[in-house]
């Protein structure tokens, strides 16, 4: 698995960062060199290298390629450089500077500091101790007897945690039909495997992620909620993003009913399979001539059928109860929305200036204003007519007379004598033709 992850990491950085695609580039050698002294000699180059490695680490973490044995979004300071080891140039030599800068920017948080900053509710400390702390520290204690005396080297990549939490909340609110409350097993089934890129969440990851969701997104958590045959870890999302969820007795009862329905469904499936298998065995035994065995199989099948019918009736009853509870929840939300709307409308109607009397007064003022405007317009129109004092019919008659006179003038023949026209035409004889006429006269 580690070799496969390392291969995916190598492919990812070479496809997303051009410097890694060029094995012998001077830029890649500079990034892998010890550039810690550039902080004094060339601050710009130092900041550029830090920024580059910061982007590489964050992107690779969000792809799930920098995992540790217990976590998918926690990096180990001692082994991080080995993940980026390359032929010839070796490992990056300045990761200490990069991680220190990222820690100052709160992009990396030591694991112990994260657990203190995002403290879980007291209702699920037992689950953390039983499923996370014991398993993790038992493994570490066997591998590293003196690990508790060493400084912390594991850092939570906070941008990756934020990205996971944001994606989970967005997915939950994107499907309004989904229930707001679920068990840890349902949460794990929905979000643990490749929900974001190729991140596989471990039990330790679930603990850190649920801490963050509880602290920053108002997700409620409770342990030891009694269900069918056992206790469950329960997770409840707020109904809206600006709310904080709380787990009530009603929610615990709902979990009990749902787990019972699920258990009955599993039992029904198993009983159905066994009944069908016994029917096939009875036929096989009958074909072989083993009548007694065939009858025995049929008796067992009949007993299972009776149990199956009882389980089906119980499951039908539980499903009906669950459906009515969920329907009542929806009805309650509708009624609450109605109440909020009624209160808002009542508040608007109770404000100053919004009453039946005030509305009547305003409408009467508008009507009076329209009537005043109409009187003003009529007065202006009558005044303009009096000032002009011109008869429109008389003006139209004069215009028609002018048009007729113009038409008569166009049809009158010209009074210019014809000889004057001929004289005008001869006056435009070309110069060359006149010279020829004078030459002929001399000849």
């Amino acid at each position: 698995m580690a070799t496969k992850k390392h291969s995916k990491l190598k492919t990812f950085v070479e496809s997303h960062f051009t410097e890694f695609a060029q094995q012998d580039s001077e830029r890649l050698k500079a990034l892998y060199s010890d550039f810690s002294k550039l902080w004094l000699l060339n601050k710009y180059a130092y900041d550029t290298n830090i920024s580059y490695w910061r982007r590489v680490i964050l992107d690779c973490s969000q792809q799930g390629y920098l995992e540790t044995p217990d976590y998918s979004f926690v990096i180990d300071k001692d082994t991080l450089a080995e993940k980026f080891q390359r032929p010839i140039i070796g490992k990056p030599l300045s990761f200490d500077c990069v991680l220190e800068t990222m820690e100052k920017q709160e992009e990396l948080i030591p694991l112990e500091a994260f657990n203190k900053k995002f403290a879980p509710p007291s209702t699920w400390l037992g689950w953390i101790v039983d499923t996370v702390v014991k398993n993790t520290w038992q493994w570490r204690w066997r591998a590293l007897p003196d690990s508790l005396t060493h400084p912390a080297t594991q850092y939570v990549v906070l941008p990756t945690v934020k990205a996971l939490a944001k994606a989970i909340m967005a997915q939950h609110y994107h499907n309004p039909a989904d229930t707001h409350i679920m068990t840890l097993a349902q949460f794990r089934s929905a979000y643990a495997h490749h929900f974001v890129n190729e991140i596989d969440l471990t039990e330790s990851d679930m603990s850190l992620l649920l801490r963050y969701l509880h602290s920053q997104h108002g997700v409620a958590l409770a342990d030891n909620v009694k269900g069918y045959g056992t206790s469950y870890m329960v997770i409840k999302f707020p109904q809206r993003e600006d709310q904080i969820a709380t787990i009530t007795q009603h929610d615990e009862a709902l979990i009990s009913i749902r787990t019972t329905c699920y258990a009955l469904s599993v039992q029904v499936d198993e009983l159905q399979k066994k009944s069908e298998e016994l029917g096939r065995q009875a036929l096989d035994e009958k074909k072989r001539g083993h009548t007694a065995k065939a009858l025995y199989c049929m008796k067992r099948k009949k007993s299972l059928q009776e149990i199956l019918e009882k389980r089906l009736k119980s499951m039908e009853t539980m499903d009906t109860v669950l459906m009515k509870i969920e329907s009542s929840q929806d009805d309650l939300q509708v009624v609450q929305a109605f109440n909020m709307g009624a209160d808002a409308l009542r508040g608007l109607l109770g404000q100053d200036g919004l009453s039946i009397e005030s509305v009547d007064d305003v409408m009467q003022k508008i009507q009076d204003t329209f009537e005043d405007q109409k009187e003003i317009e009529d007065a202006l129109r009558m005044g303009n007519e009096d000032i002009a004092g011109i008869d429109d019919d008389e003006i139209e008659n004069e215009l028609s007379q002018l048009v007729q006179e113009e038409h008569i003038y166009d049809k009158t023949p010209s009074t210019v004598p014809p000889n004057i026209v001929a004289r005008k035409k001869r006056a435009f004889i070309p110069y060359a033709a006149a010279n020829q006429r004078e030459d002929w006269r001399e000849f």
Side-chain angles (χ1 to χ4, degrees), residues 210-422:
L210 289 173
R211 285 173 182 264
Y212 185 83
L213 288 171
H214 169 72
S215 175
Q216 301 299 312
H217 293 280
V219 175
L221 308 168
D223 193 18
N224 294 325
V225 176
K226 293 182 179 180
Y228 184 85
T230 184
S231 297
Y232 293 87
M233 169 74 183
V234 176
I235 303 162
K236 184 179 180 181
F237 289 86
Q239 294 182 358
R240 294 197 303 267
E241 294 184 7
D242 57 345
Q243 292 182 343
I244 297 177
T246 56
I247 297 177
T248 62
Q249 292 183 350
H250 169 79
D251 297 326
E252 294 181 359
L254 194 62
I255 287 295
S256 177
I257 295 174
R258 285 179 179 169
T259 54
T260 301
C261 289
Y262 177 77
L264 289 174
S265 176
V266 173
Q267 292 179 13
V268 166
D269 292 339
E270 293 178 353
L271 289 172
Q272 186 67 35
K273 290 180 180 179
K274 289 181 180 179
S275 177
E276 293 175 356
E277 183 179 355
L278 287 172
R280 289 192 296 269
Q281 290 180 1
L283 288 175
D284 293 338
E285 295 296 338
K286 183 63 177 178
K287 291 179 181 179
R288 295 174 184 175
H290 302 159
T291 305
K293 289 184 177 181
L295 292 174
Y296 173 75
C297 291
M298 291 302 296
K299 290 179 180 179
R300 289 190 58 191
K301 180 181 177 181
K302 185 176 181 180
S303 299
L304 289 178
Q305 286 290 339
E306 292 177 356
I307 298 174
L308 178 61
E309 290 178 0
K310 293 180 181 179
R311 293 290 184 269
L312 286 172
K313 290 181 180 179
S314 299
M315 188 171 67
E316 182 181 359
T317 302
M318 296 301 296
D319 285 338
T320 303
V321 172
L322 182 60
M323 187 181 303
K324 290 184 177 180
I325 290 176
E326 293 177 347
S327 176
S328 299
Q329 279 187 325
D330 296 336
D331 294 340
L332 178 60
Q333 293 181 5
V334 172
V335 172
Q336 290 176 350
F338 285 162
N339 288 331
M340 292 176 61
D343 293 339
L345 183 58
R346 186 179 295 109
L348 290 173
L349 293 176
Q351 292 180 356
D352 295 337
L354 187 60
S355 63
I356 297 176
E357 293 79 7
S358 63
V359 172
D360 290 339
D361 292 340
V362 171
M363 298 306 296
Q364 185 62 41
K365 288 180 181 179
I366 293 175
Q367 185 67 30
D368 295 341
T369 303
F370 285 163
E371 292 178 357
D372 294 341
Q373 183 185 14
K374 187 175 183 304
E375 292 178 358
I376 292 172
E377 290 177 352
D378 293 341
L380 289 172
R381 185 175 65 255
M382 295 175 62
N384 290 332
E385 292 177 354
D386 294 339
I387 292 172
I390 299 174
D391 189 1
D392 292 340
D393 295 336
E394 183 179 353
I395 296 299
E396 291 180 359
N397 293 333
E398 292 182 1
L399 178 61
S400 299
Q401 185 177 356
L402 287 175
V403 172
Q404 291 177 1
E405 292 177 356
E406 182 69 20
H407 183 66
I408 294 171
Y409 177 77
D410 291 340
K411 293 183 177 181
T412 302
S414 177
T415 58
V416 180
N419 57 351
I420 295 177
V421 176

Side-chain angles (χ1 to χ4, degrees), residues 5 60-65 71-73 160-161 163-164 191-202 205:
K5 285 284 186 180
C60 293
S61 174
Q62 291 195 12
Q63 296 296 323
Y65 297 144
Y71 300 94
S72 292
F73 48 75
T160 303
V161 178
L164 283 167
Y191 304 117
H193 182 65
H194 290 187
F195 179 68
V196 174
N197 299 323
E198 296 189 21
I199 298 179
D200 287 322
L201 299 178
T202 64
D205 290 325

Side-chain angles (χ1 to χ4, degrees), residues 9-190:
L9 173 63
K10 181 176 180 295
T11 303
F12 176 78
V13 295
E14 288 180 354
S15 61
H16 288 76
F17 301 95
T18 56
E19 290 80 359
F20 284 89
Q22 303 172 0
Q23 297 289 340
D24 299 331
S25 66
E26 294 299 326
R27 175 60 178 154
L28 189 62
K29 293 179 181 179
L31 290 169
Y32 272 73
S33 65
D34 184 6
F35 55 81
S36 58
K37 297 180 180 179
L38 290 178
W39 185 80
L40 297 174
L41 302 177
N42 189 342
K43 187 67 165 55
Y44 176 78
Y46 177 84
D47 291 340
T48 301
N49 292 342
I50 292 291
S51 178
Y52 184 90
W53 274 118
R54 168 187 164 276
R55 185 161 56 93
V56 171
I57 291 173
L58 293 180
D59 288 355
C60 293
S61 174
Q62 291 195 12
Q63 296 296 323
Y65 297 144
L66 302 181
E67 80 288 346
T68 61
D70 297 324
Y71 300 94
S72 292
F73 48 75
V74 174
I75 61 174
D76 194 326
K77 180 180 179 181
D78 295 338
T79 62
L80 183 62
E82 297 178 359
K83 296 180 182 296
F84 291 94
Q85 185 172 2
R86 301 180 71 84
I88 303 176
I89 58 178
K91 297 184 293 186
L93 301 178
S94 297
F95 263 10
D96 289 342
C97 301
V98 177
L99 299 182
E100 182 180 357
T101 302
M102 295 179 69
E103 185 176 359
K104 289 180 180 179
Q105 297 176 354
E106 294 188 351
E107 293 174 330
L108 298 181
I109 301 180
L111 185 56
E112 295 182 1
F114 184 93
N115 290 332
K116 292 179 181 179
K117 183 175 181 179
F118 304 104
S122 58
T123 54
W124 63 299
L125 286 175
W127 171 76
I128 295 178
V129 173
D130 292 336
T131 62
V132 179
V133 177
K134 285 184 179 180
N135 294 336
T136 302
W137 283 108
Q138 284 176 0
W139 178 85
R140 291 179 182 175
W141 186 260
R142 290 195 301 268
L144 299 172
D146 57 344
S147 60
L148 293 177
T149 61
H150 290 174
T153 61
Q154 291 186 322
Y155 293 87
V156 179
V157 185
L158 190 57
T160 303
V161 178
K162 290 182 178 180
L164 283 167
K166 184 178 180 180
I168 289 173
M169 298 301 293
Q171 175 68 16
H172 178 75
Y173 290 118
H174 181 69
N175 298 321
D178 290 350
T179 177
H180 293 290
I181 189 168
M182 61 178 64
T183 63
L184 179 63
Q186 293 172 328
F187 183 87
R188 185 189 299 111
S189 175

